[in-house]
Amino acid sequence: MSALPPDIGRDDWLQALPRALVAGFVKADIDFQRKGEVSGTTATLVVVDGFTVTVASVGDSRCILDTQGGEVQLLTVDHRLEENAEERERVTASGGEVGRLNLFGGQEVGPLRCWPGGLCLSRSIGDMDVGEFIVPIPHVKQVKLSNVGGRLIIASDGIWDALPSEAAANACRGLPAELAAKLVVKQALKKSGLKDDTTCVVVDIIPSNYRLTSPQLSPKRNQIKIKSLLFGRRSHSSIGKLGAKSASFGSVEELFEEGSAMLEERLGRNLSLKASSPPFRCAICQVDQEHSEGLMTENGGSYCSSPCSPWGGPYLCLDCRKKKDAMEGKRSSHSTACR
């Protein structure tokens, strides 16, 4: 939140949110490193503002959108090396090695992993023991739902290893969110038998004009009736009976999507920063610094004796610039010397 410019309107706030989420994820990773934490985590963060949904994610904790028309959309990208050729190329270009676990005799088993460390993912927060090429820069997607709303299912990889996205959405249609989440977990456990990483959150985005009232129903039962109407299993004939207000089933407008692992592409030039005079504010950690404190500016700056690659993004403090270079394979963030 501190990376968002103050005193801006709602539309500008939503437009600035993807960049702020990138800064927040990278800052969290730096905090892990400073505290000496070496075991990290995947992360999927969802921000709901009216009918606008913004999702930032690293790793393989997936978020899907189930619309009224029964269309299921994936709002995240799985950063698994086995399934993502682009991420494999990035990891190797940054100095990592990608391969399977070698048993005695040279037999390769299991999914593709990055070495050192053996992590199956190419992005996470806080995995400091596997190399800086495992980056915390999230894939961010922002969509606007139709005025009918939708259902979000957010779950960790143990769920998705057992259930395809469509199966998870189908399994819990017609149920309120609280019961839906429990049923998704139950279905995953039934299929795989494994409890590891089986966390699920279900969020229903319900339009305010769906105010069904019935004197015979308690408020809780009335809420269940509303959710069943919006997200229940339906035939084409029953869908037609909802009227003109529900004509745009499944209509989702994509506002923004970016998955680059390069900070310069994700942060851009932050014109709202105090760039004309000290103190300067780092675009990641949001700390104000004087220029003499090792600040990295748009024209490259110099925090080491030999020239580094020019930086076309916003102002970064010394630690955050070192982190950026380490993620790109240019230097170790534990070192103060340029390579």
Side-chain angles (χ1 to χ4, degrees), residues 115-129:
W115 306 95
L119 195 65
C120 299
L121 304 173
S122 60
R123 303 196 195 190
S124 69
I125 291 177
D127 279 299
M128 299 304 164
D129 57 343

Side-chain angles (χ1 to χ4, degrees), residues 303-304 306 322 330-332 335-339:
Y303 60 81
C304 48
S306 58
K322 287 194 292 184
K330 299 175 182 177
R331 56 184 285 129
S332 168
S335 170
T336 57
C338 282
R339 294 180 178 177

Side-chain angles (χ1 to χ4, degrees), residues 29 32-33 35-42 119 124-130:
D29 189 75
F32 265 74
Q33 186 170 333
K35 293 178 180 180
E37 299 284 350
V38 295
S39 180
T41 180
T42 66
L119 195 65
S124 69
I125 291 177
D127 279 299
M128 299 304 164
D129 57 343
V130 295

Side-chain angles (χ1 to χ4, degrees), residues 295-303 308-312 321:
L295 197 70
M296 184 52 53
T297 61
E298 293 162 337
N299 59 6
S302 57
Y303 60 81
C308 299
S309 58
W311 165 241
R321 177 59 192 260

Side-chain angles (χ1 to χ4, degrees), residues 157-320:
D157 62 285
I159 299 293
W160 307 118
D161 286 342
L163 297 176
S165 299
E166 292 77 9
N170 252 335
C172 63
R173 286 199 181 111
L175 294 175
E178 300 83 0
L179 294 178
K182 292 179 180 179
L183 183 60
V184 169
V185 172
K186 184 177 180 180
Q187 291 290 333
L189 293 177
K190 182 178 179 181
K191 187 170 182 179
S192 69
L194 300 175
K195 295 183 178 180
D196 185 43
D197 293 335
T198 51
T199 300
C200 180
V201 177
V202 174
V203 179
D204 288 336
I205 302 172
I206 300 175
S208 58
N209 58 325
Y210 279 97
R211 300 281 187 188
L212 300 186
T213 57
S214 174
Q216 290 79 26
L217 294 178
S218 66
K220 185 173 183 180
R221 287 181 176 270
N222 200 44
Q223 186 183 40
I224 292 175
K225 185 176 179 181
I226 294 173
K227 293 176 180 178
S228 296
L229 172 65
L230 291 175
F231 307 113
R233 296 181 178 89
R234 324 181 56 82
S235 66
H236 290 292
S237 59
S238 66
I239 289 175
K241 295 176 183 178
L242 284 177
K245 289 183 179 179
S246 303
S248 57
F249 293 142
S251 175
V252 178
E253 179 185 358
E254 184 174 312
L255 302 178
F256 177 90
E257 183 171 14
E258 179 60 72
S260 171
M262 305 295 290
L263 268 184
E264 185 169 351
E265 296 177 12
R266 304 302 299 279
L267 295 179
R269 290 183 177 273
N270 195 333
L271 299 179
S272 66
L273 295 179
K274 296 177 287 183
S276 59
S277 61
F280 299 93
R281 175 162 295 177
C282 175
I284 293 176
C285 67
Q286 300 299 304
V287 173
D288 291 337
Q289 291 189 336
E290 298 296 331
H291 196 282
S292 60
E293 295 181 48
L295 197 70
M296 184 52 53
T297 61
E298 293 162 337
N299 59 6
S302 57
Y303 60 81
C304 48
S305 55
S306 58
C308 299
S309 58
W311 165 241
Y315 290 93
L316 297 182
C317 68
L318 174 61
D319 287 344
C320 291

Side-chain angles (χ1 to χ4, degrees), residues 58-71:
V58 292
D60 54 3
S61 293
R62 190 181 301 171
C63 175
I64 66 172
L65 169 66
D66 187 16
T67 61
Q68 171 65 14
E71 180 183 358

